[in-house]
Protein backbone atom coordinates (compact mmCIF):
# COMPACT_ATOMS: atom_id res chain seq x y z
CA UNK A 1 0.00 0.00 0.00
CA UNK A 2 1.50 3.36 -0.95
CA UNK A 3 1.00 4.76 2.54
CA UNK A 4 3.25 7.76 1.95
CA UNK A 5 1.18 9.21 -0.91
CA UNK A 6 -2.06 8.38 0.93
CA UNK A 7 -0.66 10.10 4.03
CA UNK A 8 0.31 13.22 2.10
CA UNK A 9 -3.17 13.46 0.59
CA UNK A 10 -4.80 12.83 3.97
CA UNK A 11 -2.82 15.63 5.60
CA UNK A 12 -3.57 18.00 2.72
CA UNK A 13 -7.33 17.30 2.88
CA UNK A 14 -7.41 17.57 6.66
CA UNK A 15 -5.58 20.93 6.61
CA UNK A 16 -7.84 22.25 3.82
CA UNK A 17 -10.81 21.50 6.06
CA UNK A 18 -9.06 23.12 9.05
CA UNK A 19 -9.34 19.92 11.08
CA UNK A 20 -6.90 18.75 13.70
CA UNK A 21 -5.88 15.12 14.09
CA UNK A 22 -8.07 15.13 17.20
CA UNK A 23 -11.09 16.32 15.18
CA UNK A 24 -10.59 13.58 12.58
CA UNK A 25 -9.99 10.96 15.26
CA UNK A 26 -13.27 11.85 16.96
CA UNK A 27 -15.17 11.62 13.66
CA UNK A 28 -13.67 8.29 12.60
CA UNK A 29 -12.93 6.41 15.80
CA UNK A 30 -9.36 6.00 14.51
CA UNK A 31 -6.68 6.96 17.03
CA UNK A 32 -4.75 10.22 16.74
CA UNK A 33 -1.44 8.36 16.82
CA UNK A 34 -2.50 6.06 13.96
CA UNK A 35 -3.69 9.02 11.85
CA UNK A 36 -0.38 10.76 12.51
CA UNK A 37 1.58 7.65 11.48
CA UNK A 38 -0.44 7.37 8.25
CA UNK A 39 0.17 11.04 7.44
CA UNK A 40 3.91 10.56 7.96
CA UNK A 41 4.00 7.38 5.87
CA UNK A 42 4.91 5.28 8.90
CA UNK A 43 1.82 3.07 8.82
CA UNK A 44 -0.37 1.45 6.17
CA UNK A 45 -4.07 2.13 6.19
CA UNK A 46 -6.68 -0.62 5.89
CA UNK A 47 -9.71 -0.51 3.63
CA UNK A 48 -11.89 -0.05 6.70
CA UNK A 49 -9.89 2.91 8.04
CA UNK A 50 -9.61 4.53 4.61
CA UNK A 51 -13.38 4.36 4.18
CA UNK A 52 -13.97 5.92 7.62
CA UNK A 53 -11.47 8.70 6.87
CA UNK A 54 -12.93 9.38 3.43
CA UNK A 55 -16.45 9.53 4.87
CA UNK A 56 -15.35 11.96 7.61
CA UNK A 57 -13.60 14.19 5.06
CA UNK A 58 -16.59 13.86 2.71
CA UNK A 59 -14.50 12.61 -0.21
CA UNK A 60 -14.52 9.60 -2.49
CA UNK A 61 -11.89 7.12 -1.20
CA UNK A 62 -10.27 7.04 -4.64
CA UNK A 63 -9.00 10.59 -4.08
CA UNK A 64 -6.19 9.04 -2.05
CA UNK A 65 -4.88 7.37 -5.21
CA UNK A 66 -3.76 10.11 -7.58
CA UNK A 67 -3.26 9.33 -11.26
CA UNK A 68 0.51 9.61 -10.72
CA UNK A 69 0.59 7.17 -7.82
CA UNK A 70 -1.63 4.66 -9.65
CA UNK A 71 1.01 4.00 -12.25
CA UNK A 72 3.98 3.69 -9.93
CA UNK A 73 2.31 2.02 -6.96
CA UNK A 74 -0.23 -0.23 -8.70
CA UNK A 75 1.44 -3.42 -7.53
CA UNK A 76 1.53 -2.21 -3.92
CA UNK A 77 -2.11 -1.22 -4.06
CA UNK A 78 -3.04 -4.59 -5.52
CA UNK A 79 -1.40 -6.37 -2.60
CA UNK A 80 -4.46 -5.53 -0.51
CA UNK A 81 -7.22 -3.82 -2.45
CA UNK A 82 -7.72 -1.48 -5.36
CA UNK A 83 -10.34 1.20 -5.84
CA UNK A 84 -11.34 2.49 -9.27
CA UNK A 85 -13.46 5.65 -9.23
CA UNK A 86 -16.32 5.32 -11.73
CA UNK A 87 -17.78 8.81 -11.18
CA UNK A 88 -16.24 10.30 -14.34
CA UNK A 89 -15.10 13.29 -12.33
CA UNK A 90 -18.59 14.32 -11.24
CA UNK A 91 -18.38 15.87 -7.80
CA UNK A 92 -21.10 16.32 -5.20
CA UNK A 93 -23.23 13.53 -6.71
CA UNK A 94 -25.78 11.92 -4.38
CA UNK A 95 -24.03 8.56 -4.78
CA UNK A 96 -20.49 7.27 -5.39
CA UNK A 97 -19.79 4.35 -7.75
CA UNK A 98 -16.52 2.52 -7.11
CA UNK A 99 -15.12 -0.70 -8.57
CA UNK A 100 -13.20 -2.58 -5.86
CA UNK A 101 -10.74 -5.42 -6.34
CA UNK A 102 -9.87 -7.50 -3.27
CA UNK A 103 -6.98 -9.89 -3.52
CA UNK A 104 -7.25 -13.53 -2.36
CA UNK A 105 -7.55 -13.91 1.39
CA UNK A 106 -8.30 -10.23 2.03
CA UNK A 107 -10.21 -10.85 5.23
CA UNK A 108 -8.86 -8.42 7.80
CA UNK A 109 -10.92 -5.55 9.11
CA UNK A 110 -13.83 -4.82 11.36
CA UNK A 111 -17.41 -4.02 10.53
CA UNK A 112 -18.28 -0.34 10.33
CA UNK A 113 -21.26 1.81 9.44
CA UNK A 114 -21.93 5.14 7.77
CA UNK A 115 -24.86 7.20 6.60
CA UNK A 116 -26.89 6.31 3.53
CA UNK A 117 -27.32 3.08 1.64
CA UNK A 118 -24.88 0.75 -0.06
CA UNK A 119 -25.33 -1.42 -3.14
CA UNK A 120 -22.83 -4.18 -3.99
CA UNK A 121 -22.72 -6.06 -7.31
CA UNK A 122 -20.19 -8.86 -7.84
CA UNK A 123 -18.48 -8.65 -11.23
CA UNK A 124 -16.00 -11.49 -10.72
CA UNK A 125 -15.34 -14.02 -7.97
CA UNK A 126 -17.07 -14.68 -4.66
CA UNK A 127 -17.55 -11.90 -2.12
CA UNK A 128 -18.43 -12.56 1.51
CA UNK A 129 -20.57 -9.77 2.94
CA UNK A 130 -21.54 -9.37 6.58
CA UNK A 131 -24.39 -6.94 7.33
CA UNK A 132 -25.63 -6.53 10.88
CA UNK A 133 -24.04 -9.87 11.81
CA UNK A 134 -25.64 -11.78 8.92
CA UNK A 135 -23.14 -13.38 6.55
CA UNK A 136 -23.82 -13.95 2.84
CA UNK A 137 -21.67 -15.19 -0.01
CA UNK A 138 -22.34 -13.42 -3.29
CA UNK A 139 -21.10 -14.87 -6.58
CA UNK A 140 -20.78 -13.27 -10.01
CA UNK A 141 -23.89 -11.34 -11.09
CA UNK A 142 -25.37 -11.31 -7.58
CA UNK A 143 -26.04 -8.15 -5.64
CA UNK A 144 -27.17 -6.83 -2.29
CA UNK A 145 -28.43 -3.45 -1.11
CA UNK A 146 -28.67 -2.43 2.53
CA UNK A 147 -28.98 0.42 4.99
CA UNK A 148 -25.35 1.45 5.56
CA UNK A 149 -26.08 2.57 9.11
CA UNK A 150 -26.06 -1.15 9.92
CA UNK A 151 -22.59 -2.46 10.67
CA UNK A 152 -21.11 -4.12 7.59
CA UNK A 153 -17.92 -5.29 5.94
CA UNK A 154 -16.86 -7.37 2.97
CA UNK A 155 -14.18 -10.03 2.62
CA UNK A 156 -12.50 -12.19 0.03
CA UNK A 157 -12.15 -15.60 1.67
CA UNK A 158 -11.24 -17.35 -1.60
CA UNK A 159 -8.04 -18.11 -3.50
CA UNK A 160 -8.99 -15.79 -6.37
CA UNK A 161 -9.35 -12.02 -6.69
CA UNK A 162 -12.87 -10.66 -6.42
CA UNK A 163 -14.11 -7.56 -8.26
CA UNK A 164 -17.30 -5.82 -7.23
CA UNK A 165 -19.14 -2.57 -7.73
CA UNK A 166 -19.92 -0.50 -4.65
CA UNK A 167 -22.44 2.29 -4.96
CA UNK A 168 -22.79 4.31 -1.75
CA UNK A 169 -25.28 7.08 -1.26
CA UNK A 170 -24.18 10.13 0.68
Amino acid sequence: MPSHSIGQKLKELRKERKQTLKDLSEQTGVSISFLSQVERGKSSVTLESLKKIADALKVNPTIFFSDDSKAEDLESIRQQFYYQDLSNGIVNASYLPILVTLQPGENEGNAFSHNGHEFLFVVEGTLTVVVDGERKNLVEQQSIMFDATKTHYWYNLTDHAVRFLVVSSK
Side-chain angles (χ1 to χ4, degrees), residues 1-10 13 44-47 50-51 54 59-85 98-101:
M1 169 81 35
S3 54
H4 187 63
S5 61
I6 290 172
Q8 288 174 329
K9 189 66 176 175
L10 169 58
L13 290 167
S44 293
V45 65
T46 64
L47 176 64
L50 188 63
K51 177 81 169 113
V59 296
N60 186 316
T62 61
I63 197 166
F64 293 106
F65 304 109
S66 70
D67 290 338
D68 294 340
S69 71
K70 280 183 185 172
E72 65 195 41
D73 296 324
L74 187 57
E75 191 53 41
S76 288
I77 295 167
R78 284 188 174 153
Q79 288 177 8
Q80 292 182 1
F81 62 89
Y82 177 69
Y83 275 126
Q84 181 182 350
D85 182 356
I98 302 169
L99 183 64
V100 178
T101 302

Side-chain angles (χ1 to χ4, degrees), residues 4 9 11 18 24 28 33 37 39 42 51 65 87-88 92 98 101 108 116-118 121-122 126 149 154 168:
H4 187 63
K9 189 66 176 175
K11 187 173 186 174
K18 298 181 178 16
L24 191 57
T28 61
S33 62
Q37 289 177 0
E39 283 189 358
K42 302 291 184 192
K51 177 81 169 113
F65 304 109
S87 68
N88 291 318
N92 297 323
I98 302 169
T101 302
E108 293 182 14
H117 292 87
E118 196 157 292
F121 177 83
V122 179
T126 301
T149 61
W154 52 75
S168 296

Side-chain angles (χ1 to χ4, degrees), residues 29-154:
V30 176
S31 74
I32 295 171
S33 62
F34 177 74
L35 289 169
S36 175
Q37 289 177 0
V38 170
E39 283 189 358
R40 292 179 289 128
K42 302 291 184 192
S43 184
S44 293
V45 65
T46 64
L47 176 64
E48 169 194 1
S49 296
L50 188 63
K51 177 81 169 113
K52 287 179 182 179
I53 292 165
D55 286 347
L57 295 172
K58 298 182 179 3
V59 296
N60 186 316
T62 61
I63 197 166
F64 293 106
F65 304 109
S66 70
D67 290 338
D68 294 340
S69 71
K70 280 183 185 172
E72 65 195 41
D73 296 324
L74 187 57
E75 191 53 41
S76 288
I77 295 167
R78 284 188 174 153
Q79 288 177 8
Q80 292 182 1
F81 62 89
Y82 177 69
Y83 275 126
Q84 181 182 350
D85 182 356
L86 301 177
S87 68
N88 291 318
I90 296 173
V91 294
N92 297 323
S94 57
Y95 59 91
L96 300 170
I98 302 169
L99 183 64
V100 178
T101 302
L102 290 180
Q103 294 305 310
E106 182 60 35
N107 58 10
E108 293 182 14
N110 297 304
F112 61 99
S113 62
H114 53 89
N115 290 329
H117 292 87
E118 196 157 292
F119 171 79
L120 307 175
F121 177 83
V122 179
V123 176
E124 177 184 327
T126 301
L127 179 68
T128 301
V129 181
V130 178
V131 179
D132 218 15
E134 186 178 331
R135 181 175 163 165
K136 293 182 180 185
N137 288 320
L138 302 177
V139 296
E140 292 177 22
Q141 307 296 307
Q142 287 187 323
S143 64
I144 187 173
M145 185 168 172
F146 53 88
D147 178 348
T149 61
K150 294 180 178 181
T151 57
H152 61 279
Y153 205 70
W154 52 75

